[in-house]
Amino acid sequence: MTATAAEPSRAARLLSALLYGACSLLLVLLNKTLLTAYGFPSPIVLGIGQMAATIMILYVAKLNKIIHFPDFDKKIPVKLFPLPLLYVGNHLSGLSSTSKLRVISEKTDPSLPMFTVLRKFTIPLTLLLETVILGKQHSLGIVVSVFAIVLGAVVAAGSDLAFNLEGYVFVFLNDVFTAANGVYTKQKMDPKELGKYGVLFYNACFMIIPTFLISVSTGDLRQATEFNQWKNVLFIMQFLLSCFMGFLLMFATVLCSHYNSALTTAVVGAVKNVSVAYIGMLVGGDYIFSVLNFVGLNICMAGGLRYSFLTLGSQLKPNPAEEENESLPGDAKS
């Protein structure tokens, strides 16, 4: 009974995954508008705004007793470790890999196909770390689905691969940090410790100052303050909406990892990226069709859908103990 009660319902798992996918997709589209249509020069400052929104919303919710997480004490950094370091590593390696591979993209395709391929390796790395750190065992079907997603990414970018060793190293480091961040977030969400709201709040608190210092040292903050659209009401509304959506995405990520797993969160992110490509085929006009790319995208999507059916399908199978209990006569149960 206790084990069954602790197991999240199929509806909770499905809805948290859908929320994460929807928030991630909407934030990508919104950020694309801010960074390309308006030409906002600082993605780091945008990230700071999203962290600030997370801190303010969660703190106000805690003051009004809507949510609960432990007050700060000297044990909090120890409980949270190594999440802040992983987040910083993830952030820095992500920026470095994008900047290194952008040199290639300026000469070839602006969609950075090799970057997309290498980022998919976050998924098998997450699978590996869940096994090593959390002791979780995955079925052969799950493993095959994961590698189908990676294979699809390789096929999709097969005609556009370019070599940049330094860029590849940074992307691989980014994959490792992303996978480790997801797995350790799952581990730290024990309700007896920080809980999901505590992890979200204190991680944002510890990260906002280093990220601010990075924005100062790289000149991003100066470029953001000198940006000429701060008097544009529509831009400000979209900037604030992006900050709120950033909080919603962080919350949805933690929620999806809490009810599902870090691996499911990574797979949903991959499926979201393929969905963006499908949308690009229909609107926007920035998708360049090729047979190889289209086949690869469909392999990716098939792997993602197969993974979804396997993970959600496991919730439909009755618990053997419950099945045996139901088959017993009434007197035997009592």
Side-chain angles (χ1 to χ4, degrees), residues 34-49:
L34 288 171
L35 297 171
T36 58
Y38 285 104
F40 186 66
S42 176
I44 299 180
V45 171
L46 197 57
I48 292 171

Side-chain angles (χ1 to χ4, degrees), residues 70-284:
D71 295 325
F72 182 79
D73 60 52
K74 60 183 180 181
K75 293 181 181 178
I76 293 291
V78 177
K79 290 179 180 178
L80 200 60
F81 185 85
L83 276 181
L85 293 179
L86 292 174
Y87 189 91
V88 169
N90 189 24
H91 197 66
L92 291 177
S93 59
L95 289 172
S96 300
S97 60
T98 305
S99 63
K100 295 297 178 186
L101 291 177
R102 185 176 290 129
V103 176
I104 297 176
S105 74
E106 288 170 356
K107 298 175 183 177
T108 54
D109 177 38
S111 63
L112 293 175
M114 196 62 222
F115 176 81
T116 304
V117 171
L118 293 175
R119 285 295 287 140
K120 290 291 186 294
F121 283 91
T122 299
I123 303 172
L125 282 171
T126 302
L127 186 148
L128 176 64
L129 289 177
E130 278 194 341
T131 303
V132 174
I133 296 170
L134 302 181
K136 189 170 183 178
Q137 299 299 317
H138 296 281
S139 68
L140 180 61
I142 294 290
V143 175
V144 171
S145 299
V146 163
F147 281 95
I149 295 171
V150 177
L151 174 64
V154 173
V155 172
S159 60
D160 292 314
L161 304 186
F163 188 78
N164 181 332
L165 180 60
E166 191 178 2
Y168 290 2
V169 170
F170 279 117
V171 179
F172 182 73
L173 285 174
N174 193 210
D175 290 345
V176 172
F177 281 122
T178 302
N181 187 65
V183 172
Y184 275 107
T185 297
K186 175 73 173 178
Q187 187 188 56
K188 301 294 181 181
M189 282 189 292
D190 186 347
K192 295 177 183 176
E193 298 291 332
L194 295 175
K196 54 183 179 290
Y197 298 114
V199 167
L200 201 56
F201 179 79
Y202 288 114
N203 203 36
C205 285
F206 287 128
M207 284 307 95
I208 194 167
I209 295 174
T211 309
F212 176 78
L213 294 176
I214 291 170
S215 72
V216 173
S217 64
T218 57
D220 265 47
L221 184 63
R222 180 182 55 80
Q223 291 180 9
T225 53
E226 293 174 357
F227 187 55
N228 60 6
Q229 293 289 329
W230 286 115
K231 293 182 180 179
N232 185 334
V233 177
L234 189 59
F235 166 78
I236 293 173
M237 288 176 64
Q238 290 186 59
F239 183 88
L240 293 175
L241 181 60
S242 175
C243 292
F244 174 73
M245 285 300 300
F247 153 72
L248 209 56
L249 177 60
M250 290 182 201
F251 174 70
T253 304
V254 169
L255 204 64
C256 185
S257 295
H258 175 69
Y259 285 121
N260 295 283
S261 67
L263 181 60
T264 297
T265 305
V267 170
V268 172
V271 172
K272 177 266 300 180
N273 291 336
V274 177
S275 301
V276 170
Y278 282 142
I279 292 171
M281 295 178 195
L282 302 174
V283 294

